[in-house]
Amino acid sequence: MSQLTLRLINEHFAIHSLSESATIPGEVFSASIFFIAKTFDEISIVLPQSITIASDEVELNWQALEVVGPLALTMTGILSNISTILANEKISIFAISTFDTDYILVKEEFINQAIAALRDNQYLVI
């Protein structure tokens, strides 16, 4: 698979956890970018940390690398390759996939190390 381009999004994100029965706060829908996932056990919401919502737990200071797409749904190994590179550097990720692309969230304190590792592995990071 050819190496891809990743774009650092100029935003700091918060990852929120709410109970599975919680109502999604209206502020979420006015954000310029947000991600919502609901399972049988919880709701996860990722949004710019400048937007404050009530949640059961929150993790602050994440930055996102967007895989420049759109990517075909038939492509394989994208997240696997990126996550392996970052795992080898002991960098944890929070991955999000959409119809068109993938986002890899990394704690702010590790973003420069993550970018350097990806560049060392022939990824273009802009």
Side-chain angles (χ1 to χ4, degrees):
M1 179 174 73
S2 64
Q3 299 302 338
L4 300 169
T5 299
L6 294 101
R7 177 184 304 120
L8 178 63
I9 296 176
N10 186 23
E11 187 72 66
H12 288 80
F13 291 91
I15 303 171
H16 296 269
S17 177
L18 292 80
S19 72
E20 77 282 355
S21 61
T23 300
I24 297 170
E27 301 92 325
V28 171
F29 301 105
S30 65
S32 58
I33 183 172
F34 63 88
F35 305 91
I36 300 172
K38 184 178 189 306
T39 69
F40 297 113
D41 300 317
E42 57 111 9
I43 297 171
S44 291
I45 300 174
V46 178
L47 72 161
Q49 73 182 33
S50 59
I51 298 173
T52 304
I53 63 169
S55 58
D56 297 336
E57 291 184 57
V58 63
E59 285 277 335
L60 301 174
N61 299 318
W62 292 82
Q63 289 192 267
L65 294 164
E66 172 190 4
V67 180
V68 175
L71 307 172
L73 291 175
T74 57
M75 293 179 73
T76 60
I78 295 168
L79 281 177
S80 174
N81 291 340
I82 293 170
S83 64
T84 297
I85 291 167
L86 298 181
N88 288 339
E89 298 294 320
K90 308 290 188 244
I91 299 172
S92 296
I93 67 167
F94 188 93
I96 301 170
S97 293
T98 69
F99 191 89
D100 284 340
T101 193
D102 297 313
Y103 294 82
I104 298 86
L105 279 70
V106 174
K107 284 293 243 180
E108 176 184 30
E109 63 200 71
F110 298 110
I111 195 67
N112 290 332
Q113 182 183 350
I115 290 170
L118 291 163
R119 285 179 174 157
D120 286 347
N121 284 273
Q122 284 68 58
Y123 284 86
L124 175 62
V125 182
I126 55 174

